[in-house]
Amino acid sequence: SQQGEEDPQALSIQEGENATMNCSYKTSINNLQWYRQNSGRGLVHLILIRSNEREKHSGRLRVTLDTSKKSSSLLITASRAADTASYFCATLQETSGSRLTFGEGTQLTVNP
Amino acid sequence: KAGVTQTPRYLIKTRGQQVTLSCSPISGHRSVSWYQQTPGQGLQFLFEYFSETQRNKGNFPGRFSGRQFSNSRSEMNVSTLELGDSALYLCASSWTGSAQYFGPGTRLTVT
């Protein structure tokens, strides 16, 4: 079963716009990771944020984490058609080794 | 560094058969995890191996098994295949507690 939920399930925007995806989870975590998946292929790791961090940036990506609300958001700025993909958040609990629990994903479509 | 590799990439099997999938992790990574992805259930954790020992196991029947070799390469086996086992099987490698790096997956179709 999934640890949490992602919102929205689908998002369609124009190139150049920003895209924001949200993720909620249920239990305390060690870290939270965001992944991208293109058309049923392998997952690409985007960014990892630890439970003691509140915000992290990587290129056009900005991730925030609010452990009091058990939620995270992923912001993609100045989106491109190549950003079209499914985006998943995944949580790592403190005692779970390397076991990730995934959200249901957000399907992002960026229209040229 | 070479990424995670999985073989085969595509597989078609008949109900009742068994299948073995292989995963080679990134050099130096000792943790290998397996996930099943289906449209209905999403991404679900199967099991994790670390230094040839199963460290975590998800809620899958005993027909799903795995192992890890001394060079960290891992295999998973599914016996007595069912139609519902049709899925994308993903392998990931990592240092414990860090980012996981996924392979391209094996697409299994059971007919």
Side-chain angles (χ1 to χ4, degrees), chain B residues 26-47:
Chain B
I26 291 172
S27 177
H29 285 183
R30 294 167 65 188
S31 171
V32 174
S33 299
W34 289 88
Y35 296 83
Q36 181 197 64
Q37 185 177 30
T38 60
Q41 298 298 316
L43 280 151
Q44 293 194 293
F45 173 81
L46 281 157
F47 28 66

Side-chain angles (χ1 to χ4, degrees), chain A residues 1-2 30-31 33 35 37 39-45 48 50 88 92 95-103, chain B residues 31 33 35 37 41-45 48 55-58 88 90 94-100 102-104 107:
Chain A
S1 61
Q2 305 298 317
N30 177 294
N31 64 57
Q33 304 177 33
Y35 290 85
Q37 185 178 41
S39 300
R41 297 168 75 175
L43 294 163
V44 175
H45 181 264
L48 180 154
R50 301 193 185 281
F88 294 90
L92 184 72
T95 56
S96 65
S98 295
R99 174 178 183 162
L100 289 175
T101 305
F102 282 87
Chain B
S31 171
S33 299
Y35 296 83
Q37 185 177 30
Q41 298 298 316
L43 280 151
Q44 293 194 293
F45 173 81
E48 178 203 357
R55 185 159 68 171
N56 276 293
K57 190 177 191 309
L88 181 66
L90 293 161
S94 69
W95 292 101
T96 298
S98 68
Q100 294 196 26
F102 284 78
R107 174 75 62 184

